[in-house]
């Protein structure tokens, strides 16, 4: 059972309240596809991913980024039950999407960098540590149903 | 592999830091100790409290090494050869700790907090690749 201190919960919710799920999601996913180009293998039907500009402007990337981050929002509402929250998604990513769980860790790290660029000095070391913990646990929950 | 464009972006980015490099080194280390407590095991002899002089000093060292690397991106192996020996034979930091990018992640967060939008996807990509290359070179002599 994961333990979240009151301070950690505060750091998560106060940051999340200021996040635009659509913008942040689009940016995080775009960066994943740009910084780790091999991840494009999961998005072959997304159309033009030929350059950073194409990726950033790609409407499917934006839409999917929003989806991914919306799901993250669910996790934040259920910090004490990440495993339950991600159970079905974990099965989906394993059985249908065939995504190597390592990619969840990569996306998590990218999300942290996107938040850092957005929140600047407010993204303190304590804040980063809490978010690294969160993205790590989300990645873990998503990998849990793999077989 | 680092392209010519990557190298240009990295040099430009480093140039934009306007003297904050040393601070960034200390901050990256502080963030790393905070987010990844096991990394502290390599510094039992350090005072790791906030604002520690030792962390400041070490951050400065790390950044100086990165600056050297940035000036010698065409020959990282040679430029970092001494550091590579040091890490392999003396420090013996677990090599995956490098490739697992704890320091890279925290350095990038420190850069992103300062550069905001200027830490564009293209710059992010170039820096990530660069840190990977540095990590590889440092781990070269391990075995």
């Amino acid at each position: 059972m994961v333990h979240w201190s009151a301070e950690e919960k505060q750091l998560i919710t106060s940051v999340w309240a200021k996040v635009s799920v659509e913008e942040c999601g689009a940016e995080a996913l775009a960066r994943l596809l740009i910084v780790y180009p091999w991840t494009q293998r999961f998005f072959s039907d997304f159309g033009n991913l030929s350059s950073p500009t194409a990726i950033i402007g790609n409407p499917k990337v934006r839409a999917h980024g929003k989806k991914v981050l919306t799901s993250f929002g669910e996790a934040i509402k259920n910090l004490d039950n990440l495993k339950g929250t991600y159970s079905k998604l974990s099965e989906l990513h394993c059985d249908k999407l065939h995504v190597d769980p390592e990619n969840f860790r990569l996306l998590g790290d990218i999300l942290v960098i996107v938040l850092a660029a957005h929140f600047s000095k407010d993204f303190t070391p304590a804040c980063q540590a809490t978010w690294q913990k969160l993205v790590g646990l989300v990645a873990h929950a998503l990998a849990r149903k793999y077989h | 592999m680092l392209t010519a464009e990557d190298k240009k972006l990295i040099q430009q980015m480093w140039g934009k830091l306007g003297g904050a490099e040393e601070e960034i080194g200390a901050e990256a280390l502080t963030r790393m100790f905070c987010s990844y407590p096991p990394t502290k095991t390599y510094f039992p002899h350090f005072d790791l409290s906030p604002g520690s002089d030792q962390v400041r000093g070490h951050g400065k060292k790390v950044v100086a090494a990165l600056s050297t690397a940035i000036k010698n991106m065409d020959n990282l192996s040679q430029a970092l050869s001494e550091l590579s020996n040091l890490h392999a034979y003396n420090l013996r930091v677990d090599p995956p700790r490098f490739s697992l990018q704890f320091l890279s992640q925290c350095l990038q967060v420190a850069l992103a907090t300062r550069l905001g939008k200027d830490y564009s996807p293209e710059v992010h990509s170039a820096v990530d690749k660069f840190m990977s290359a540095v990590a590889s070179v440092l781990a070269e002599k391990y075995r």
Side-chain angles (χ1 to χ4, degrees):
Chain A
M1 172 76 180
V2 180
H3 174 73
W4 296 99
S5 71
E7 197 204 343
E8 285 172 330
K9 289 188 180 183
Q10 218 276 321
L11 285 169
I12 291 171
T13 53
S14 64
V15 164
W16 194 247
K18 299 181 198 134
V19 162
S20 152
V21 162
E22 185 166 350
E23 282 311 312
C24 194
E27 188 170 347
L29 188 62
R31 282 178 188 253
L32 180 73
L33 298 171
I34 292 166
V35 180
Y36 306 114
W38 54 89
T39 57
Q40 292 171 24
R41 71 190 293 275
F42 302 112
F43 301 99
S44 49
D45 60 339
F46 268 33
N48 187 3
L49 298 178
S50 59
S51 70
T53 311
I55 291 170
I56 293 165
N58 185 313
K60 286 190 172 176
V61 171
R62 289 193 74 82
H64 196 72
K66 181 179 172 185
K67 215 188 206 184
V68 169
L69 220 64
T70 300
S71 148
F72 218 84
E74 278 312 299
I76 290 176
K77 288 194 203 114
N78 292 283
L79 288 174
D80 295 325
N81 186 17
L82 291 175
K83 289 178 191 159
T85 305
Y86 279 110
S87 179
K88 286 257 170 304
L89 272 176
S90 181
E91 286 170 6
L92 179 76
H93 282 75
C94 172
D95 300 330
K96 295 263 167 8
L97 304 176
H98 310 292
V99 176
D100 181 349
E102 175 63 11
N103 294 290
F104 307 145
R105 194 188 64 75
L106 293 180
L107 183 60
D109 276 355
I110 284 190
L111 178 61
V112 167
I113 289 177
V114 168
L115 292 175
H118 191 81
F119 288 96
S120 205
K121 289 228 171 310
D122 289 344
F123 202 64
T124 60
C127 196
Q128 178 191 353
T130 302
W131 276 84
Q132 296 284 176
K133 177 177 169 178
L134 176 60
V135 302
L137 289 168
V138 167
H140 185 75
L142 271 171
R144 206 160 162 271
K145 287 299 182 75
Y146 273 61
H147 58 96
Chain B
M1 239 185 47
L2 285 168
T3 62
E5 180 64 17
D6 288 331
K7 293 176 188 177
K8 199 174 93 185
L9 285 172
I10 291 166
Q11 279 159 348
Q12 276 173 358
M13 179 275 306
W14 204 245
K16 279 198 187 122
L17 297 175
E21 292 92 334
E22 285 176 13
E23 226 177 273
I24 286 173
E27 184 183 325
L29 287 174
T30 302
R31 285 180 181 276
M32 187 181 76
F33 295 138
C34 206
S35 282
Y36 308 106
T39 56
K40 293 192 287 187
T41 59
Y42 292 98
F43 299 91
H45 52 302
F46 265 35
D47 161 23
L48 296 179
S49 55
S52 145
D53 281 336
Q54 284 178 307
V55 173
R56 265 208 115 47
H58 197 70
K60 202 169 153 183
K61 260 192 199 171
V62 169
V63 156
L66 288 175
S67 280
T68 301
I70 288 172
K71 290 193 191 97
N72 293 281
M73 280 189 284
D74 292 329
N75 196 353
L76 279 180
S77 240
Q78 194 170 60
L80 296 175
S81 176
E82 278 313 303
L83 270 179
S84 182
N85 287 336
L86 182 75
H87 282 76
Y89 304 127
N90 293 42
L91 302 176
R92 292 170 293 186
V93 176
D94 182 45
R97 293 286 183 202
F98 290 143
S99 55
L100 274 181
Q101 20 163 238
F102 296 146
L103 183 61
S104 171
Q105 174 71 359
C106 293
L107 177 70
Q108 292 197 55
V109 166
L111 290 171
T113 58
R114 274 173 183 68
L115 297 171
K117 285 214 175 320
D118 284 349
Y119 202 67
S120 67
E122 290 89 333
V123 171
H124 178 168
S125 175
V127 172
D128 199 271
K129 281 161 85 173
F130 169 71
M131 290 303 289
S132 249
V134 168
S136 284
V137 167
L138 286 177
E140 240 167 38
K141 312 224 174 91
Y142 271 66
R143 56 175 177 164

